[in-house]
Amino acid sequence: MKVLVIGAGGQLGRALVATAPTAHTCVALGREALDLEQDSDSITAILDSQAPEVIINAAAWTAVDAAEDEPDRAMQVNATAPGVLARWCAAHGARLIHVSTDFVFDGEAGRPYAPDSPARPLGAYGRSKWEGECRVREALGDKALIVRTAWVYGAGGRNFVRTMLRLMGTRDEVNVVADQVGAPTHTRSLARLLWQAVTKPEAGGTLHWTDAGVASWFDLAVAVYEEGRALGLLDRDVAIGPLRTVDYPTPATRPAYSVLDTTATPRVLGLAPRHWRVELREMLAEEGAMAEAGHA
Ligand SMILES: NC(=O)c1ccc[n+]([C@@H]2O[C@H](COP(=O)([O-])OP(=O)(O)OC[C@H]3O[C@@H](n4cnc5c(N)ncnc54)[C@H](OP(=O)(O)O)[C@@H]3O)[C@@H](O)[C@H]2O)c1
């Protein structure tokens, strides 16, 4: 299969490229090679020249707070451009695997969101991602595979885990929001799932994938500290305290509870998530190896 990975410079994109099975021809396009803020003809011309059989769209406007100030740009990258990709796939018999987010939900549920739970995004980022899903479904129906995920982090990426490592390396005290609950997801675990999806051409519709278990941001910070110390990435005492969301205001409102129900995914794709703490340990080990090699 010729598989085009769009957004190859992002944290998920890099994990996809790093784990691409040799059975496929993986063509990786970062923003410099395929900018989703271009007009649709320019995007289509690049797809024509690449002629992929499968597109994995890992590109997105992910700056959740900045999207409140620039909703049109977020909408272009997260909705209009995925619509262009989907229409190209429909016209050329190609498959689209599109990545979406827990932020399409309002976080008011008391139990995990199923793939068909009603969407009600709270902010501009979530609205743009939901609109992106709609455009993809409009063009391809259930032939497109939309994978919603949450709380994504990976070695070398811009993410919460690495921010915690940095803060814990210099501060005596770190306070973290404890009343937002979700499921941390390692880029490598998500990449594994997406490559597995490439081998299942019949899989379509909307699926959820996060690592197993749930956590608050505070729980995740404590785990980063404990695992980071065990691996020798952190060597000082840090007091980690819980914060309430109201005490840490941000421009965009986040869902308070955004656990995704992933139970259908192993049935469809034949892969089950591992506990987030196991994945976190692996990410931190990779982070340590990169730091040692001077790549961090
Ligand atoms: N991060 C999370 O916590 C999270 C949670 C739920 C779902 N997701 C979804 O997971 C997917 C992967 O996210 P990620 O965590 O890997 O995000 P990321 O690290 O921010 O990567 C996104 C990539 O998209 C690229 N991009 C942005 N604007 C673009 C444009 N106009 N044209 C082409 N590329 C553009 C970015 O390029 P630059 O590096 O040049 O900006 C970046 O390489 C996205 O669909 C995201 O919505 C993420």
Side-chain angles (χ1 to χ4, degrees):
M1 285 281 180
K2 179 169 180 184
V3 183
L4 193 65
V5 173
I6 298 179
Q11 49 172 359
L12 172 59
R14 277 184 284 121
L16 281 164
V17 173
T19 59
T22 49
H24 306 302
T25 305
C26 172
V27 178
L29 298 187
R31 189 204 286 244
E32 65 301 334
L34 175 46
D35 186 343
L36 296 180
E37 288 191 72
Q38 294 173 92
D39 60 82
S40 57
D41 286 349
S42 308
I43 296 174
T44 300
I46 293 170
L47 299 179
D48 284 342
S49 72
Q50 292 292 344
E53 294 163 277
V54 181
I55 295 177
I56 304 179
N57 182 24
W61 177 294
T62 54
V64 173
D65 290 320
E68 298 297 320
D69 293 329
E70 297 193 85
D72 295 345
R73 290 185 68 197
M75 199 54 92
Q76 166 64 32
V77 178
N78 292 346
T80 309
V84 175
L85 302 181
R87 286 196 298 281
W88 187 90
C89 286
H92 294 82
R95 191 156 169 244
L96 179 61
I97 301 177
H98 177 71
V99 181
S100 191
T101 173
D102 56 329
F103 276 44
V104 301
F105 298 119
D106 62 13
E108 287 173 17
R111 59 170 178 219
Y113 286 95
D116 62 355
S117 295
R120 197 178 80 86
L122 298 176
Y125 166 73
R127 278 192 293 277
S128 69
K129 292 293 291 184
W130 170 247
E131 182 61 27
E133 289 191 17
C134 295
R135 305 264 179 112
V136 167
R137 284 191 201 100
E138 229 166 70
L140 285 163
D142 271 354
K143 283 198 185 130
L145 177 62
I146 297 173
V147 178
R148 291 196 195 114
T149 188
W151 294 30
V152 177
Y153 67 90
R158 269 186 314 237
N159 56 60
F160 176 86
V161 170
R162 294 188 78 230
T163 301
M164 285 300 116
L165 280 179
R166 186 167 40 76
L167 295 178
M168 290 169 185
T170 54
R171 293 195 189 170
D172 298 330
E173 189 184 336
V174 175
N175 295 312
V176 186
V177 169
D179 55 2
Q180 286 173 29
V181 174
T185 307
H186 185 194
T187 47
R188 292 261 174 169
S189 128
L190 180 56
R192 204 180 308 132
L193 188 276
L194 295 174
W195 283 120
Q196 174 78 355
V198 170
T199 68
K200 308 263 181 198
E202 68 288 355
T206 307
L207 291 175
H208 286 171
W209 180 265
T210 62
D211 293 334
V214 299
S216 68
W217 291 113
F218 172 68
D219 295 326
L220 180 54
V222 170
V224 169
Y225 180 66
E226 290 175 357
E227 301 290 350
R229 282 208 79 147
L231 285 163
L233 299 177
L234 296 167
D235 60 1
R236 49 203 301 286
D237 291 342
V238 181
I240 304 166
L243 270 184
R244 296 177 308 167
T245 299
V246 287
D247 297 324
Y248 188 74
T250 51
T253 307
R254 270 87 174 148
Y257 177 91
S258 65
V259 178
L260 300 177
D261 179 348
T262 61
T263 47
T265 307
R267 272 202 309 276
V268 178
L269 294 180
L271 200 67
R274 300 188 299 169
H275 194 268
W276 64 262
R277 192 137 177 165
V278 174
E279 293 286 350
L280 175 66
R281 209 170 292 141
E282 289 193 4
M283 176 272 188
L284 290 173
E286 192 190 337
E287 190 68 31
M290 282 170 68
E292 224 160 80
H295 296 313

